Amino acid sequence: MLNALASLTKAAIGAAVETPVAVVADVITLGGSLTDKAEPYTATAVKKVVENILDATKPE
């Protein structure tokens, strides 16, 4: 129960804070191409959010 709540909290913070910051970083760095990043920052942030949601819904 506590693990699910922690994962949901991480997902909410990721969706509300990390994802918008990642979008701005992608705009500034042209999708990460100026920093030689293989994957855009937004994709990485959204993957983390989805991962946390999947962790929260996983049966214990």
Side-chain angles (χ1 to χ4, degrees):
M1 171 75 173
L2 247 55
N3 192 20
L5 185 60
S7 292
L8 283 176
T9 302
K10 288 179 187 178
I13 290 171
V17 177
E18 290 178 21
T19 304
V21 170
V23 170
V24 171
D26 277 339
V27 169
I28 292 172
T29 64
L30 301 174
S33 63
L34 295 178
T35 57
D36 294 328
K37 194 160 173 4
E39 181 177 65
Y41 293 102
T42 305
T44 305
V46 170
K47 281 183 183 179
K48 287 181 187 177
V49 170
V50 170
E51 211 173 86
N52 285 321
I53 290 172
L54 290 176
D55 285 345
T57 58
K58 189 179 352 176
E60 293 183 31

